[in-house]
Amino acid sequence: MGIQKPENIINRGASCPFCETEKLKDIIAQKGEMILLKNKYPVLAETYPLVLIETEDCDSELSLYRKEHLFQLIEFGLSHWLRLLDSNEFRSVIFFKNHGPKSGGTIRHPHMQIIGLNHLDSNRLVEPVHFEGIPIAKCDQVEWNLSTSPRMGFYEFNVVSEHGENKQMAEFIQNSCHYILNHFYSCDSYNLFFYQVGPKLIAKIIPRFVTSPLFVGYSIPQVAMNLDDVVKAVQKLYI
């Protein structure tokens, strides 16, 4: 029997392995509060799984970070993800974050994951149209939009960086997370995914509810009818 993975998103009384930093092993890199280490509980076989602990504050969350820490986190995460991508040691490398009880995560402490996939091409079903949408804002070659061709359905925020402007990218990501958790249908969960498409670095932020049966059964994404209204609401709050 393998090691049982801890869970404290639902069971908030359970101990947090990321708070006990003195017990962490296989640390790859560290910068301030941020720690990159090998994942003790890999989610996929035949992979190189890493966990990025974002902060020492177990009750914090990406939308709450002060700007200095936010910028350092995104820069730290992107640099290690791109390092693995450029190493050519893996078929593909994924970089993502779960937050909240409907996100698929199990540990509440803010963290991201970087996973080198030995055999699987994670971009095999990724299309450029998935990152097109109604513009919310554009600054320093970074576009923030609401997807008109979502991968899973309904509402998906995209942050598309043309030339690696990581600070502006980080701000738009943070705004997306803040909007989802504070102004969006009482949503308490989201996923954050990173992609490299040609020269572009892209983040997709997806609010998580109960997944549509059309997507589960047939991989049919549904597009919301009020995208323009959501864009205007976001612009009013953050632009």
Side-chain angles (χ1 to χ4, degrees):
M1 182 178 294
I3 301 173
Q4 184 174 352
K5 186 175 182 180
E7 191 286 315
N8 65 2
I9 288 183
I10 304 299
N11 181 19
R12 294 305 300 273
S15 62
C16 175
F18 296 159
C19 286
E20 300 173 336
T21 55
E22 70 282 356
K23 296 182 180 180
L24 296 176
K25 298 180 179 180
D26 297 320
I27 293 176
I28 308 297
Q30 187 167 359
K31 183 174 183 180
E33 301 176 35
M34 299 175 292
I35 303 173
L36 182 70
L37 69 158
K38 193 170 181 181
N39 193 345
K40 187 177 179 180
Y41 309 98
V43 297
L44 293 170
E46 298 190 63
T47 63
Y48 179 63
L50 301 178
V51 170
L52 196 173
I53 300 174
E54 301 173 24
T55 173
E56 63 185 11
D57 186 352
C58 192
D59 293 319
S60 191
E61 192 274 322
L62 191 148
S63 70
L64 303 174
Y65 295 156
R66 65 188 188 282
K67 287 295 187 285
E68 180 183 1
H69 183 72
L70 172 72
F71 297 154
Q72 289 179 353
L73 171 65
I74 297 302
E75 181 68 33
F76 186 74
L78 288 175
S79 65
H80 286 284
W81 172 53
L82 293 173
R83 174 179 60 81
L84 290 184
L85 276 173
D86 293 340
S87 73
N88 294 318
E89 295 180 27
F90 309 99
R91 181 80 182 276
S92 57
V93 184
I94 56 177
F95 180 25
F96 65 98
K97 173 181 173 63
N98 306 319
H99 173 78
K102 301 180 187 69
S103 68
T106 56
I107 297 178
R108 170 63 179 83
H109 197 121
H111 67 284
M112 301 178 179
Q113 296 186 58
I114 302 173
I115 304 177
L117 306 175
N118 294 341
H119 307 297
L120 181 64
D121 178 9
S122 61
N123 291 322
R124 71 197 188 284
L125 299 178
V126 174
E127 301 290 344
V129 71
H130 295 148
F131 310 112
E132 298 174 1
I134 301 172
I136 299 171
K138 186 169 184 177
C139 183
D140 295 333
Q141 299 298 310
V142 182
E143 179 181 283
W144 182 22
N145 69 53
L146 187 62
S147 183
T148 48
S149 298
R151 286 181 55 83
M152 188 172 73
F154 295 108
Y155 308 95
E156 298 179 4
F157 293 93
N158 300 312
V159 180
V160 182
S161 177
E162 297 278 355
H163 299 290
E165 297 294 339
N166 295 342
K167 288 186 177 180
Q168 186 59 65
M169 188 180 194
E171 285 207 58
F172 286 155
I173 291 171
Q174 185 178 59
N175 289 346
S176 300
C177 297
H178 187 272
Y179 178 77
I180 289 169
L181 295 178
N182 293 275
H183 303 284
F184 195 65
Y185 300 110
S186 301
C187 185
D188 61 359
S189 305
Y190 67 82
N191 293 117
L192 165 61
F193 303 100
F194 290 91
Y195 307 84
Q196 186 180 50
V197 180
K200 299 178 181 179
L201 295 181
I202 303 172
K204 180 177 281 289
I205 307 94
I206 304 177
R208 293 300 305 274
F209 301 96
V210 175
T211 306
S212 163
L214 293 180
F215 183 79
V216 173
Y218 305 102
S219 296
I220 298 175
Q222 294 172 265
V223 182
M225 301 297 291
N226 64 335
L227 295 181
D228 288 318
D229 294 336
V230 173
V231 167
K232 291 175 182 177
V234 174
Q235 290 173 329
K236 185 176 181 180
L237 286 166
Y238 300 101
I239 306 303

